Amino acid sequence: MLSGGSMQQTKKNQGFTLIELMVTIAVMGIIAMMAAPSFGNMISHYELKKEVKEIEFEIKGSRAISKAENKKIALSLFGGSVVKDGFEKIDKSQLKVKVNSKANVLYFEPNGLVSSNLNTYPICIELQHQKSLEVRSITINALGVFNTSDQQCS
């Protein structure tokens, strides 16, 4: 009786069987396959969010420099890049976000006002992630106040 009990005890200490390991790995694989699209969407959402923040930073910075230096600052939105006073600040050609704007150049006046080459308000800058096609837009009024939304420019 003791020898039978010791056999059961040694069998319990041997570990997992190959079948148990294969079933566990298969279940983990199925769970990972279900979660992968969510991670892709999350990554593209945060890429777009990051680009919107960079454009907002350049707008705020251009407006602040214009006031501080008491001079007109031009911020160009063309060719997939954002160019401030002739120096390329953000190169969008390598990124997965497309910048759309009817206005090609934003002008920041020393008094804090904003204008564009079109002289129409509000000025709308649309950013679209090229993989997920998610859209965010930045609208700027004549006073330089801007809002970000999840909707397309109209």
Side-chain angles (χ1 to χ4, degrees), residues 35-152:
S38 297
F39 285 126
N41 290 341
M42 184 177 68
I43 289 169
S44 62
H45 174 76
Y46 282 107
E47 285 175 343
L48 180 61
K49 193 173 180 180
K50 177 183 148 232
E51 296 305 315
V52 168
K53 292 292 181 192
E54 284 187 27
I55 297 281
E56 287 176 349
F57 179 77
E58 288 300 324
I59 291 169
K60 286 179 185 177
S62 298
R63 189 168 181 225
I65 290 170
S66 174
K67 284 182 174 181
E69 295 180 2
N70 198 28
K71 70 177 188 175
K72 188 176 193 174
I73 298 288
L75 185 68
S76 301
L77 304 165
F78 66 91
S81 300
V82 176
V83 180
K84 181 165 52 179
D85 279 353
F87 298 102
E88 192 166 300
K89 289 294 184 182
I90 304 171
D91 180 15
K92 300 286 178 222
S93 62
Q94 303 297 320
L95 299 174
K96 299 170 185 139
V97 175
K98 187 169 71 171
V99 179
N100 295 325
S101 177
K102 291 180 183 175
N104 293 329
V105 182
L106 303 177
Y107 299 104
F108 297 88
E109 304 291 337
N111 60 4
L113 298 179
V114 178
S115 62
S116 73
N117 59 316
L118 298 177
N119 286 327
T120 57
Y121 297 98
I123 301 163
C124 188
I125 304 166
E126 187 177 284
L127 290 92
Q128 181 181 29
H129 195 277
Q130 293 187 10
K131 184 177 178 186
S132 70
L133 302 179
E134 183 181 355
V135 174
R136 300 284 304 233
S137 63
I138 303 169
T139 53
I140 308 165
N141 67 17
L143 299 175
V145 178
F146 62 89
N147 294 317
T148 304
S149 71
D150 296 336
Q151 298 172 2
Q152 295 179 337

